[in-house]
Amino acid sequence: MELAGVHRVYFIGIGGIGMSALARYFVRSGKEVAGYDKVPTPLTRALESEGAYVHYADSVAEVPGAFKEAAGTLVVYTPAVPASHAELAFFRQEGFQVVKRSQLLGMISRETRCLAVAGTHGKTTTSCILAHLLKEAGLEVMAFLGGVSEDFGSNFLMEGTEFSVVEADEYDRSFLWLEPEVACVTSMDADHLDIYGDDATLKATFAEFARKVRPGGTLVVRNGLPLQGLTYGIDDDAQYTIRNLRTEEGAYRFDIHTPEHTYRSVRFAKPGRHNLLNGLAAFTMAVQVAPQPDRLVKALATFKGVERRFSYKLNTEQLIFIDDYAHHPTEIDAVCDAIREMHPGREILAVFQPHLFSRTRDFGAEFARSLSRFDAIWLLDIYPAREEPIEGIDSAWLLGQIRNPRKRLIEKSRLIPEITRENPQILLTIGAGDIGLEVNPIKDALSHAS
């Protein structure tokens, strides 16, 4: 399929973080853009303000007339959309060009010098840091991000088309559509077992992704992973490594040792060793294509962050409120470690919304162990996303495995009054579902109460 003949693009699930970035690309490229999603969100409202038409009922009658013409119309969907979706069925029956989001991302990025970030954890933050570094280095770059960058105020950046930064998503083997010039694998922990079945199959698919790197390209790998490439790590024998790590005025200071040079007293302000590794991964990728590494070092110091990735919503002597997307035991551990490092001795109340019945079932013991580390833990109902319920798997089942005397189930409607009554020293909201929509109301209530 050639994109040159496409005049209109219709997105089924346009409000998704990856889909909306692609929609923004086509709006910026002068195409007509429309789409469907279940409910209005800040992302869909932003798209509407930028010129896209969005509706919220699965009805062919709601599709604008021009988008019902197969000639010149491209239809994009995600694996989360069921085959029974009325609009998707219509477009397929009528012979439209219908592609998955990942296939379209592969087509767009193939025309660029693509830098792709893969891994079960760290993709979004690493991609946002990488896009920031390349932009600050003066390169002509566009970026399709899986989160809202606080540096750009968007999940999409377009400063040119020579380079592209993309997240290489392992879900549904989506990343196998990509052919990057520089690729990175940050982690290969077991996840998405509803797709892969077992950990060995997941790891084999990451190895298949690694072989997608273009001839003459570069694979960057976190030290210790079973892949061959340029390695990065902290205080180890990696080719790119952080040494002399210390904290100063709420930020990290360290040296970066590379095979060619040592960059001294580098500053990076995002808390947590996991974020340090994300920053080092981005630097290692960027230095493969950027001609002035010193500009990359300076840009590390100015990176602001990503919404819902260790985002401070309130930070006062009386109360700290942090919000994070963590939805896997490894990610929850990383957030807990970062808080303990940055705010030692303070009690943490964590509110967690499990994401997917299958993930909760597959990692129940690991979730329980990670969540037991907080001083108090409250669980919301499981966010189902694309799944139907699994008998016997719910938040009460998970709660029963958590060893913490201050554990409880809580309804969303009771969050604000119960948090206010608890008066925590540190409040942490975590999860990949719609808990993010509760963050600003919680922040406003706590600000008012204080």
Side-chain angles (χ1 to χ4, degrees):
M1 184 189 70
E2 292 292 333
L3 291 177
V6 172
H7 306 296
R8 296 170 298 278
V9 189
Y10 190 84
F11 292 87
I12 303 176
I14 194 169
I17 194 71
M19 291 280 271
S20 58
L22 283 167
R24 283 176 155 146
Y25 167 78
F26 283 107
V27 169
R28 289 282 299 274
S29 301
K31 308 293 186 185
E32 291 183 71
V33 174
Y36 154 85
D37 216 300
K38 286 184 178 180
V39 294
T41 64
L43 276 175
T44 60
R45 294 188 193 100
L47 284 170
E48 290 179 273
S49 71
E50 293 164 22
Y53 170 79
V54 184
H55 71 271
Y56 304 96
D58 176 16
S59 168
V60 176
E62 296 279 350
V63 178
F67 289 83
K68 294 178 184 176
E69 299 175 12
T73 299
L74 174 66
V75 178
V76 190
Y77 73 103
T78 73
V81 175
S84 59
H85 193 278
E87 293 180 11
L88 180 59
F90 165 79
F91 288 120
R92 282 175 165 164
Q93 291 165 4
E94 297 300 316
F96 281 70
Q97 296 182 90
V98 179
V99 299
K100 285 186 178 180
R101 179 195 65 84
S102 53
Q103 184 179 357
L104 178 59
L105 184 60
M107 294 166 59
I108 294 169
S109 62
R110 204 166 293 134
E111 303 302 315
T112 71
R113 298 179 64 183
C114 175
L115 292 88
V117 182
T120 46
H121 320 296
K123 288 189 295 292
T124 296
T125 301
T126 303
S127 298
C128 287
I129 299 170
L130 178 58
H132 172 70
L133 297 186
L134 297 184
K135 177 179 180 293
E136 294 302 301
L139 301 187
E140 295 184 2
V141 58
M142 59 181 175
F144 300 87
L145 306 170
V148 176
S149 163
E150 293 176 356
D151 292 274
F152 314 136
S154 177
N155 58 341
F156 176 65
L157 172 71
M158 195 165 188
E159 297 282 324
T161 58
E162 181 181 1
F163 294 91
S164 65
V165 173
V166 304
E167 289 192 33
D169 187 3
E170 75 278 4
Y171 177 71
D172 197 40
R173 296 175 171 83
S174 294
F175 56 3
L176 298 183
W177 289 102
L178 300 172
E179 296 176 3
E181 177 178 328
V182 181
C184 176
V185 178
T186 65
S187 50
M188 293 163 51
D189 292 339
D191 199 4
H192 300 302
L193 298 185
D194 56 322
I195 298 295
Y196 290 98
D198 55 52
D199 187 36
T201 303
L202 174 72
K203 286 181 167 55
T205 310
F206 270 98
E208 187 178 351
F209 165 73
R211 294 190 290 272
K212 293 285 185 177
V213 175
R214 297 174 189 175
T218 305
L219 178 66
V220 175
V221 180
R222 180 176 174 178
N223 204 26
L225 294 181
L227 296 171
Q228 295 296 316
L230 281 181
T231 55
Y232 70 95
I234 299 177
D235 287 329
D236 57 22
D237 59 356
Q239 291 157 288
Y240 287 74
T241 184
I242 286 174
R243 294 179 183 161
N244 300 323
L245 178 62
R246 56 209 183 272
T247 57
E248 292 181 4
E249 299 176 346
Y252 289 116
R253 285 279 185 181
F254 51 89
D255 301 337
I256 298 179
H257 288 256
T258 80
E260 293 81 25
H261 191 71
T262 296
Y263 302 91
R264 300 198 181 277
S265 196
V266 180
R267 185 179 186 276
F268 188 70
K270 292 304 293 180
R273 301 297 177 98
H274 62 301
N275 280 322
L276 271 178
L277 284 165
N278 293 336
L280 181 60
F283 177 85
T284 305
M285 295 180 75
V287 81
Q288 308 307 313
V289 299
Q292 296 177 287
D294 288 338
R295 295 181 69 174
L296 303 177
V297 170
K298 291 179 180 177
L300 278 173
T302 60
F303 174 69
K304 294 178 182 177
V306 188
E307 288 186 8
R308 302 219 62 225
R309 268 68 174 185
F310 210 97
S311 297
Y312 281 99
K313 312 311 289 186
L314 293 170
N315 191 354
T316 68
E317 290 186 9
Q318 292 76 31
L319 170 65
I320 294 170
F321 176 19
I322 298 167
D323 178 48
D324 196 275
Y325 191 73
H327 57 286
H328 184 282
T330 301
E331 297 166 345
I332 293 170
D333 283 335
V335 173
C336 185
D337 289 342
I339 296 175
R340 299 291 189 200
E341 180 182 27
M342 290 296 172
H343 306 286
R346 302 187 74 169
E347 287 197 351
I348 307 168
L349 165 61
V351 180
F352 176 53
Q353 182 187 46
H355 185 262
L356 298 177
F357 295 101
S358 61
R359 183 183 282 123
T360 306
R361 175 199 62 199
D362 294 340
F363 300 102
E366 292 86 349
F367 274 123
R369 189 161 48 248
S370 298
L371 295 169
S372 296
R373 299 179 59 198
F374 297 107
D375 299 287
I377 176 66
W378 298 355
L379 296 186
L380 292 167
D381 287 338
I382 295 173
Y383 184 77
R386 56 187 177 269
E387 293 186 337
E388 295 297 322
I390 296 174
E391 185 176 356
I393 304 300
D394 55 20
S395 289
W397 173 83
L398 177 58
L399 190 78
Q401 301 178 65
I402 295 173
R403 296 188 174 184
N404 188 316
R406 296 167 61 188
K407 64 180 183 179
R408 61 175 289 193
L409 302 177
I410 189 164
E411 296 179 2
K412 267 193 220 165
S413 62
R414 295 296 305 161
L415 262 181
I416 289 176
E418 292 297 321
I419 289 170
T420 303
R421 188 174 72 170
E422 188 76 9
N423 192 27
Q425 295 177 358
I426 298 177
L427 172 65
L428 170 68
T429 49
I430 40 178
D434 59 4
I435 189 173
L437 300 177
E438 307 299 319
V439 170
N440 283 335
I442 293 171
K443 175 185 174 181
D444 291 343
L446 292 176
S447 298
H448 180 72
S450 63

